[in-house]
Amino acid sequence: MLKPRSTATRELVSLDGTWRFAVDTAVGERPWTAPLETRLEAPVPASYNDLFTDSAIRDHVGWVWYQRRVRVPRGWTDDRVVLRVDAATHQGRVYVDDVLVAEHVGGYTPFEADITNHVRAGQEFRLTIGVNNELTNTTIPPGTITVSQDGRRKQTYLHDFYNYAGLARSVWLYSVPAVHIADVTIVTGLDGTSGTVEYEVATSTPAHVRVRVLDASGAEVAESDGASGTLRIEDVTPWRPGAAYLYDLVAEVLDGDDVVDTYAQPFGVRTVEVSGTRFLINGEPFYFTGFGRHEDTPVRGKGHDDAYLVHDFQLMEWVGANSFRTSHYPYAEEVLDFADRHGIVVIDETAAVGLNLAVEAGLTGAPPRPTFSPDTVNDDTRAAHAQAIRELIARDKNHPSVVMWCIANEPSSNEEGAREYFEPLLELTRKLDPTRPVCYAAVMFATAANDGIADLFDVLCINRYYGWYVATGDLVTAEAYLEGDLRGWAAKFGKPIIMSEYGADTLPGLHSVWDQPWTEEYQAAYLAANHRVFDRIAEVVGEHVWNFADFQTSNGIHRVDGNRKGVFTRDRRPKAAAHALRARWREIAGSKPAGGQDAARQFPPGARDELNGEGGTAR
């Protein structure tokens, strides 16, 4: 699905702003058939939960309704009119006046509808969007709805971040010609100093297509006739981590000599490959430094905000991060566009978090239930999961910043039924995109000895909290546990390992001279203990701290105003750990080996000496 853009043949109107807003219990059964009777207004984009002082709205389970008037530009008489919703968490329904024109399940990917037959250029229509936040055992992510004795519906879920809902991303109205470009797919390669660009352009109806490649200055560097083919860029400038370079593939639909439609798709020329225990970008070993993150800010919830986008990337640059994972759902397209332009590497993840009922048993004390069964995570769940993968890849396939697909976070990969569930999903992912490696993030319960799916994947992403949930406050024991754990994965599978989560909750301003959990000193010491292990294991090719910033979670006595594992506070102030990471990651960036076998690992100054001394075994 193409991102809407304004071009010489297309126009784009933002529908962001304040909309009328109501929960379903405050309006009639068919609220889209008339103006909403409400005094409330809600901004778009934003989650609605933290906007209002009424707790019944914050805790509402079910449908909410957004409504506004929209005028179609009068110059669109001969064009198709398309309405696009960038995301509706977790289900959306769109009505033009009284007519349902679109419905979508999945809270983090876009959907759209051609509404040409329902509107007229120059005239207004009533736009109503319903959003449902309900999660069940067959949704991605999953959850459970219960009804209390007083009749209130309650939502529970197994992911450790707040279930923010609403229209958290933009809504658009845009025009396209009757015959138009519907999709563009680009796959790049490197051949010496040249770049190869395989392309495929889909059109609404069969049409004559011409493509041109423009460099960053706007100069044409390649061209071809036809809806598919391979272009060659001589003296190509590759897209590199930290040194982004983007070209534009300009696709045109022609009617004789006339350009009927034109669309420019930015892309970068780069390759991604897993070779043995190395992760290669453009044939060069890459070591991931960065974070698991969340779309989470005060008041806005998961609402996209360009100011936070810019500031967060500035903080990542300051701390020396070269990458992040979109934990635990696809982020707004603006985030990936920014990563493309600034050379930040992305592991792109579906919303499949919480596929693990062992966590439920551990948190509630209830008897454990099997994760994979007809009554829990089942074939319908897998179908929803497959659709989430299709939509993720369809949306993000052309982003050079995206180097790997992560199809699940912390599933119960050690349980019976995991392989039967995940093997078809992995096959689908590779069929949709054979060019990128695929991973999942392994939960603490899954070890090298009992994990049932790790052999299927390209990279081992491991989430571990030794020194926090296990061996709390005992970093000597935690370091030994972690090293034994990671060496077990390395020995059994012989694949690259990314530490995709490790972290400790920390209250800013709490200090101690001892290894006391929750203090700033302990968070820094905890990270240092993990880093010593990473530097002793050659198979480790990356470290993503959990988390970039503190974030909101569901109610629970084990969380005090959310998850505090961020190295920045929720309002983006650095804790002591941020400064410690900055020192380490800037050293790593400055100590990249110059080729040869040692290029499989990037060591901070002194780490190589440690391996040859008492700290470990030389490799």
Side-chain angles (χ1 to χ4, degrees):
M1 179 183 289
L2 293 178
K3 181 178 180 179
R5 302 186 193 280
S6 179
T7 75
T9 58
R10 300 168 175 232
E11 292 186 355
L12 181 65
V13 175
S14 171
L15 301 184
D16 292 353
T18 54
W19 296 45
R20 290 186 178 185
F21 178 85
V23 299
D24 58 4
T25 54
V27 292
E29 293 185 358
R30 294 167 55 84
W32 58 89
T33 60
L36 280 182
E37 295 184 4
T38 178
R39 294 181 61 252
L40 298 179
E41 296 184 53
V44 175
S47 303
Y48 65 78
N49 308 81
D50 291 351
L51 299 176
F52 306 102
T53 57
D54 186 351
S55 61
I57 298 177
R58 188 174 199 270
D59 299 333
H60 179 72
V61 179
W63 290 93
V64 300
W65 297 95
Y66 293 79
Q67 191 180 86
R68 61 163 291 171
R69 302 289 301 179
V70 178
R71 183 178 296 278
V72 181
R74 60 183 181 180
W76 292 10
T77 302
D78 297 324
D79 291 328
R80 308 300 299 180
V81 180
V82 183
L83 181 74
R84 177 187 170 105
V85 180
D86 279 351
T89 310
H90 294 278
Q91 180 181 358
R93 291 176 181 165
V94 180
Y95 296 84
V96 170
D97 293 323
D98 296 351
V99 179
L100 176 67
V101 296
E103 186 168 10
H104 180 261
V105 177
Y108 302 99
T109 45
F111 61 104
E112 61 186 28
D114 186 323
I115 61 171
T116 309
N117 296 334
H118 306 287
V119 299
R120 294 183 63 183
Q123 295 190 3
E124 282 192 335
F125 65 91
R126 184 178 63 251
L127 174 59
T128 309
I129 301 179
V131 183
N132 189 339
N133 65 350
E134 296 179 4
L135 298 173
T136 71
N137 68 304
T138 61
T139 61
I140 296 294
T144 304
I145 298 172
T146 59
V147 180
S148 64
Q149 291 182 346
D150 60 6
R152 287 178 299 147
R153 304 176 76 234
K154 293 185 177 182
Q155 176 77 70
T156 58
Y157 43 91
L158 299 176
H159 53 270
D160 187 31
F161 55 95
Y162 191 80
N163 190 39
Y164 282 113
L167 296 176
R169 299 174 189 166
S170 293
V171 181
W172 306 93
L173 193 71
Y174 70 94
S175 68
V176 292
V179 179
H180 57 270
I181 297 158
D183 196 17
V184 175
T185 302
I186 299 171
V187 176
T188 64
L190 290 169
D191 181 12
T193 60
S194 299
T196 59
V197 183
E198 297 180 34
Y199 72 91
E200 184 173 351
V201 179
T203 53
S204 57
T205 57
H208 179 198
V209 175
R210 176 178 66 191
V211 300
R212 298 177 292 129
V213 174
L214 309 181
D215 67 14
S217 70
E220 183 176 309
V221 294
E223 58 85 24
S224 182
D225 201 62
S228 62
T230 300
L231 298 166
R232 193 172 184 89
I233 304 173
E234 303 299 339
D235 296 319
V236 70
T237 301
W239 187 96
R240 293 188 173 95
Y245 190 94
L246 295 179
Y247 293 88
D248 277 332
L249 187 141
V250 180
E252 298 170 324
V253 174
L254 301 179
D255 182 4
D257 293 331
D258 295 331
V259 176
V260 175
D261 189 27
T262 181
Y263 185 91
Q265 175 63 56
F267 70 96
V269 178
R270 63 103 182 95
T271 62
V272 177
E273 179 187 2
V274 171
S275 176
T277 59
R278 301 188 300 172
F279 193 99
L280 307 178
I281 299 179
N282 300 334
E284 299 176 354
F286 180 73
Y287 189 82
F288 295 77
T289 58
F291 302 96
R293 300 178 61 219
H294 268 299
E295 292 182 313
D296 177 278
T297 56
V299 182
R300 301 166 185 81
K302 293 198 177 304
H304 177 72
D305 184 290
D306 283 339
Y308 271 101
L309 168 68
V310 171
H311 187 55
D312 285 356
F313 272 75
Q314 281 285 296
L315 291 177
M316 285 193 289
E317 179 180 348
W318 174 85
V319 81
N322 61 23
S323 56
F324 64 91
R325 176 168 61 119
T326 68
S327 46
H328 298 299
Y329 38 82
Y331 289 179
E333 289 171 276
E334 290 83 354
V335 177
L336 298 184
D337 288 341
F338 203 91
D340 289 344
R341 296 195 300 271
H342 292 270
I344 299 296
V345 171
V346 179
I347 299 173
D348 206 358
E349 187 166 286
T350 71
V353 55
L355 301 175
N356 195 322
L357 296 186
V359 174
E360 173 190 58
L363 290 176
T364 66
R369 297 185 293 159
T371 297
F372 306 100
S373 77
D375 297 324
T376 53
V377 175
N378 57 30
D379 291 346
D380 291 337
T381 316
R382 187 173 57 200
H385 196 162
Q387 185 61 21
I389 292 171
R390 292 186 191 96
E391 293 183 11
L392 172 70
I393 294 175
R395 194 196 73 166
D396 295 345
K397 61 189 174 183
N398 293 325
H399 287 285
S401 60
V402 175
V403 301
M404 184 158 56
W405 305 115
C406 184
I407 65 171
N409 180 72
E410 297 191 344
S412 197
S413 57
N414 57 305
E415 278 195 52
E416 184 178 346
R419 195 174 187 93
E420 291 79 4
Y421 179 89
F422 276 101
E423 195 162 16
L425 297 176
L426 184 61
E427 292 174 359
L428 171 65
T429 306
R430 289 207 170 107
K431 179 180 178 181
L432 293 171
D433 179 15
T435 71
R436 289 178 175 91
V438 187
C439 68
Y440 70 100
V443 70
M444 284 282 291
F445 309 136
T447 67
N450 66 19
D451 188 280
I453 63 174
D455 62 298
L456 300 173
F457 290 81
D458 303 297
V459 175
L460 305 176
C461 289
I462 311 295
N463 296 355
R464 291 295 184 265
Y465 292 92
Y466 296 115
W468 189 249
Y469 297 119
V470 176
T472 309
D474 182 355
L475 292 178
V476 174
T477 299
E479 188 171 336
Y481 281 174
L482 176 62
E483 182 161 358
D485 193 340
L486 293 186
R487 288 198 183 280
W489 290 91
K492 182 172 182 179
F493 296 104
K495 297 183 179 186
I497 297 173
I498 296 174
M499 194 72 169
S500 42
E501 286 187 24
Y502 62 110
D505 285 274
T506 304
L507 290 177
L510 184 63
H511 299 284
S512 177
V513 297
W514 303 290
D515 280 344
Q516 181 178 331
W518 291 92
T519 63
E520 293 196 47
E521 289 80 11
Y522 186 79
Q523 186 182 35
Y526 168 96
L527 295 177
N530 279 263
H531 297 155
R532 288 192 294 271
V533 174
F534 304 161
D535 292 341
R536 293 196 292 266
I537 300 177
E539 289 83 0
V540 173
V541 299
E543 52 197 63
H544 276 177
V545 173
W546 190 258
N547 190 285
F548 170 72
D550 296 344
F551 58 91
Q552 193 55 257
T553 62
S554 58
N555 296 331
I557 59 173
H558 63 293
R559 294 287 182 232
V560 181
D561 192 30
N563 190 305
R564 299 301 192 94
K565 292 187 180 69
V567 303
F568 297 95
T569 63
R570 200 179 186 208
D571 61 353
R572 278 37 177 190
R573 300 187 185 193
K575 302 175 188 177
H579 295 277
L581 284 173
R582 185 172 190 257
R584 172 178 171 81
W585 288 348
R586 288 166 70 91
E587 285 184 332
I588 289 177
S591 62
K592 183 177 180 181
Q597 183 64 32
D598 285 345
R601 245 339 231 117
Q602 298 177 13
F603 291 91
R608 178 68 68 186
D609 295 336
E610 180 183 358
L611 286 179
N612 291 311
E614 295 181 356
T617 302
R619 289 179 177 269

